[in-house]
Amino acid sequence: MGMAAADLQFHVLAVDDSLIDRKLIERLFRISSCQVTTVDSGSKALEFLGLQEHDQNQPCVSPSNQQEVEVNLIITDYCMPGMTGYDLLKKIKESSSLRNIPVVIMSSENVPSRISRCLEEGAEEFFLKPVRLSDVNKLRPHMMKTKCKSLPQQEAEKMVTKPKQESIEIANVQSQAQEPAEPQTESETVQQQQKSQANNNNNKRKAMEENLSPDRTRPRYSSGLTAV
């Protein structure tokens, strides 16, 4: 049971040179039942991901030992000494083994050109600090994509198709409720006409009996007068 729960848990790599911001991010994701690994620089993030820089003058990176723990999301600060969040984003998207990991950039500065550049480079979201729990909840669909790819095919199909199956069942119930009644057969139509005719005859018979009733022929009396 513990293994199954671990397989279904999302793993987030948080990158920020600020200890306070790292603690905040870690707390928010743990509230959302995520496993969190925190590092204080872009170079340590690459090391954790299994990427190693050749040289400071060469921006390319090469795969080293691949990380043992799967990462479903990377959230990084933009302004960091040495390697910025934008630089880290570019290196991740240049890696054939890591480019599918969703990357989210966060910053305390609202600079439109910076935001546009990160989104164009492949960032899923750009959050302004302080990051809130509502922001973290928006990231679950992005993490789900990587989790579905890593799970066995049957488990992934269950996670993806279950909501679709429920909606299909609801649609079927609604369509059945809206479907017109099936046309009656000839015999059913004849029986229904016979019942209708019988009811009409009974109604006529009752009307005739009421007209011939003694109560109808009995003289009426009013106060102080005697009927002749």
Side-chain angles (χ1 to χ4, degrees), residues 38-201:
T38 60
V39 293
D40 60 2
S41 66
S43 58
K44 289 184 179 180
L46 292 178
E47 182 180 354
F48 180 82
L49 294 169
L51 294 180
Q52 183 179 359
E53 291 186 273
H54 287 294
D55 190 86
Q56 291 182 354
N57 297 326
Q58 297 179 358
C60 60
V61 292
S62 62
S64 179
N65 296 328
Q66 189 170 355
Q67 74 275 14
E68 296 180 358
V69 182
E70 179 191 19
V71 175
N72 305 111
L73 180 78
I74 299 170
I75 182 168
T76 178
D77 185 27
Y78 184 93
C79 294
M80 294 185 296
M83 182 184 301
T84 67
Y86 178 75
D87 296 332
L88 177 60
L89 170 66
K90 288 184 64 177
K91 292 180 184 296
I92 292 172
K93 295 305 177 181
E94 289 171 358
S95 170
S96 58
S97 59
L98 301 176
R99 65 181 56 172
N100 291 327
I101 299 178
V103 180
V104 175
I105 309 292
M106 52 185 175
S107 176
S108 57
E109 300 177 359
N110 186 2
V111 181
S113 59
R114 180 183 299 176
I115 297 173
S116 300
R117 184 169 61 165
C118 290
L119 296 177
E120 290 174 359
E121 191 64 34
E124 301 292 340
E125 301 283 351
F126 193 105
F127 292 149
L128 294 178
K129 292 183 177 182
V131 177
R132 299 179 296 271
L133 185 60
S134 58
D135 297 326
V136 172
N137 292 334
K138 296 177 183 178
L139 303 178
R140 185 165 292 272
H142 300 304
M143 293 186 286
M144 183 68 71
K145 295 177 184 178
T146 59
K147 180 61 70 175
C148 288
K149 292 180 181 179
S150 62
L151 287 175
Q153 184 176 1
Q154 294 180 352
E155 293 295 330
E157 289 177 352
K158 288 180 181 179
M159 295 176 67
V160 175
T161 59
K162 186 175 180 181
K164 293 182 179 180
Q165 291 176 351
E166 292 178 352
S167 61
I168 292 174
E169 291 176 357
I170 294 174
N172 288 338
V173 171
Q174 293 176 345
S175 62
Q176 290 176 2
Q178 296 175 355
E179 285 181 357
E182 295 183 357
Q184 295 180 340
T185 61
E186 184 177 354
S187 59
E188 291 176 345
T189 304
V190 173
Q191 292 177 359
Q192 187 174 0
Q193 291 177 350
Q194 291 176 349
K195 288 182 180 180
S196 177
Q197 185 66 30
N199 291 334
N200 292 334
N201 293 336

